[in-house]
Amino acid sequence: MPVEIARQLKGAVKRLNRQRGLHDAFRAAEAGQRLGWCTVDLYCDHCGRPAGNGDHAACLAARAMEPPRYCPHCRRRMVVQITPRNWTARCSVHGSTGG
């Protein structure tokens, strides 16, 4: 069921993108994430650009060696702490992730 909801939301975001512009589409998707029924990453966590635009192969290759720099949900720069054994990244809105 959550996969179907995410698919429907992604379609709604695309329709909003065409109808009202990019900004309104991202705001609608962010609202869905805050409500807890959206798991779609809107942005690349390495470069911060929209995940659906362009080729992010270089970003994926870089992410093999580096922690994320941008929140994939809201595009904010994350606070990143790197230690010899692991890393943590924290978004001011969406919380922490680690690796």
Side-chain angles (χ1 to χ4, degrees):
M1 176 112 175
V3 174
E4 181 61 33
I5 292 171
R7 188 176 299 130
Q8 289 173 357
L9 181 63
K10 192 173 183 180
V13 168
K14 287 182 181 179
R15 284 190 298 278
L16 277 174
N17 187 15
R18 287 190 299 266
Q19 293 172 0
R20 297 187 195 152
L22 189 61
H23 182 70
D24 290 341
F26 286 130
R27 289 190 61 185
E30 285 177 356
Q33 288 172 341
R34 283 193 298 272
L35 292 174
W37 47 266
C38 177
T39 59
V40 176
D41 289 344
L42 300 174
Y43 302 100
C44 174
D45 63 359
H46 181 73
C47 68
R49 294 188 181 120
N53 293 355
D55 183 25
H56 293 279
C59 297
L60 290 174
R63 281 283 289 121
M65 299 295 290
E66 297 179 8
R69 301 295 176 177
Y70 292 89
C71 178
H73 304 296
C74 65
R75 197 180 188 181
R76 287 177 174 83
R77 285 283 288 183
M78 294 196 291
V79 177
V80 178
Q81 182 177 6
I82 301 172
T83 63
R85 293 183 181 248
N86 62 7
W87 56 264
T88 59
R90 181 176 43 87
C91 173
S92 61
V93 175
H94 296 101
S96 295
T97 184

